Amino acid sequence: MKTTPDSAQTQAIDWLLCLRSENCTEAERRAFTIWLEESPIHRQAYETVQAHWQWMEPFKAMDFPARNAALQYRKKSPRHLLINSAAASLLLALGLTAFSPNGWLGIPQTYIAEKGGRQTVALTDGSSIELNTDSEVRVRFNRWRRSVEMIKGEAFFTVAHNAELPFEVRVGNGRIRDIGTAFEVYIKPEQVIVAVQEGIVEVQTLETRKLTEGQQLAFNNSGAFQALQGLDIAALTAWRQGNLVFRNRRLDDVIAEVGRYHDTRIRLQNQNLGKLRVSGTFHTAELNDTLNAIATLLPVHIDHINTHEIVLKSATNSRL
């Protein structure tokens, strides 16, 4: 049966209480480890429940109706009979409503796309986040704000406009504020790229600029804006269809982009090869097809060093 966020949340509560019990056995701890590794949903749910527990530390010794009502809660299985402490009662009585992505407190939710994968996150306000390979975001929604922190990678945001509750993306030294739009954010080692497909966004770093449909900019790690030459938004967001589109791109840039989707290390024999130019459309999942196509287009050949390393070498005797 497929795990849903709601069922994972319930299981995570049970595991937290079980692990904190003095009667928790080694077999149960091993079973918990297996459960945790079964799905990213399990790990996210458990991290959320842990955050709830820590938040409730000051309330453990308090006496109030919600706590007293929770003390009456029992389930039939022996493990659930362990639910008898004030903190555990609070967890069950208050539930996750106040901590949900759209609740009063809004405990952050972390979403991850593994290397070579993609994930689409549907948010409670009708917005969505599409995560590209090896990407991570932390979402914090509550009654007063809609905030997303980009930790790494690349994401496409489709935002449901709400003038009273702005949607903000924090990344590096910058803040991107939506004014009803769809936009791309890509964290590269030397800069962050922001590109607007439709609508308007406001980018704040050392300065503030507004971008409209079809516009893009970058800012470096110090927060200074940088010009982008001839960036094609359609090519930038082609990963959403499982493609990589290059138009007169340097080979070293192409190899760096392709490498984001695979565990295989890809390198060039020398720096001069990196100056060669590549144009074409390639599938993100097809590493061999991509490299073979590049070897057909350019004077390079492919050397498979081992299962996890490939070197592109010059196919000519001349120095490139």
Side-chain angles (χ1 to χ4, degrees):
M1 179 181 296
K2 184 178 180 180
T3 301
T4 66
D6 287 342
S7 64
Q9 188 170 271
T10 301
Q11 294 166 24
I13 292 175
D14 289 345
W15 279 118
L16 177 69
L17 299 178
C18 175
L19 294 172
R20 294 184 67 85
S21 167
E22 295 179 356
N23 300 318
C24 184
T25 66
E26 285 302 316
E28 285 176 316
R29 294 184 185 279
R30 289 194 295 270
F32 164 72
T33 300
I34 293 172
W35 174 84
L36 195 67
E37 295 176 351
E38 282 178 348
S39 168
I41 295 177
H42 290 176
R43 186 172 296 276
Q44 291 169 10
Y46 191 75
E47 289 176 354
T48 299
V49 170
Q50 278 188 311
H52 301 170
W53 183 278
Q54 293 170 2
W55 179 85
M56 289 189 298
E57 287 289 337
F59 299 99
K60 287 183 180 180
M62 287 187 175
D63 184 23
F64 53 89
R67 172 190 176 278
N68 295 333
L71 286 171
Q72 307 303 316
Y73 180 83
R74 293 292 186 271
K75 287 188 176 182
K76 293 182 180 179
S77 72
R79 189 172 67 178
H80 289 101
L81 293 178
L82 299 172
I83 306 172
N84 54 14
S85 71
S89 298
L90 276 170
L91 186 63
L92 292 168
L94 295 177
L96 301 177
T97 304
F99 305 94
S100 66
N102 204 31
W104 288 101
L105 299 177
I107 292 294
Q109 306 288 314
T110 298
Y111 300 97
I112 298 171
E114 302 294 342
K115 192 162 191 175
R118 299 200 303 271
Q119 181 182 177
T120 298
V121 180
L123 302 178
T124 56
D125 67 335
S127 302
S128 67
I129 306 173
E130 296 176 55
L131 296 176
N132 196 9
T133 177
D134 195 23
S135 298
E136 180 178 351
V137 297
R138 185 171 295 123
V139 177
R140 179 70 177 269
F141 277 26
N142 57 33
R143 299 295 183 184
W144 302 279
R145 66 173 177 171
R146 299 183 294 168
S147 179
V148 177
E149 179 185 3
M150 278 200 66
I151 309 301
K152 64 176 181 177
E154 186 173 17
F156 187 87
F157 298 84
T158 303
V159 178
H161 184 55
N162 183 340
E164 297 180 356
L165 200 62
F167 190 104
E168 182 179 81
V169 178
R170 293 180 291 120
V171 51
N173 293 317
R175 293 174 182 263
I176 303 156
R177 185 177 180 184
D178 159 73
I179 311 179
T181 190
F183 61 96
E184 161 99 358
V185 180
Y186 179 13
I187 302 175
K188 302 186 74 173
E190 71 283 0
Q191 63 182 186
V192 174
I193 296 175
V194 182
V196 178
Q197 187 176 81
E198 61 180 72
I200 305 172
V201 300
E202 181 179 82
V203 182
Q204 298 178 346
T205 56
L206 300 176
E207 306 174 58
T208 299
R209 293 185 186 178
K210 285 187 178 181
L211 298 179
T212 59
E213 180 176 337
Q215 293 184 324
Q216 61 277 318
L217 59 71
F219 55 88
N220 63 21
N221 296 329
S222 299
F225 285 126
Q226 298 178 319
L228 291 174
Q229 300 296 327
L231 180 65
D232 186 332
I233 294 178
L236 181 65
T237 60
W239 60 266
R240 298 173 64 203
Q241 288 76 45
N243 294 324
L244 289 171
V245 177
F246 303 116
R247 292 171 181 163
N248 199 33
R249 290 277 297 276
R250 285 176 55 109
L251 179 58
D252 48 10
D253 288 340
V254 169
I255 293 304
E257 288 293 325
V258 171
R260 295 172 58 209
Y261 297 84
H262 304 279
D263 290 326
T264 302
R265 183 190 178 198
I266 313 166
R267 59 185 177 88
L268 300 175
Q269 182 184 32
N270 58 64
Q271 293 182 347
N272 285 334
L273 284 175
K275 300 175 184 178
L276 298 173
R277 296 283 173 168
V278 178
S279 295
T281 298
F282 309 92
H283 296 298
T284 58
E286 304 296 337
L287 177 59
N288 288 334
D289 288 350
T290 296
L291 295 181
N292 287 335
I294 290 173
T296 300
L297 295 169
L298 301 178
V300 299
H301 73 262
I302 305 166
D303 188 358
H304 293 269
I305 304 300
N306 53 53
T307 56
H308 296 291
E309 185 175 10
I310 294 174
V311 178
L312 297 188
K313 297 182 176 180
S314 171
T316 68
N317 293 325
S318 60
R319 298 185 62 184
L320 295 173

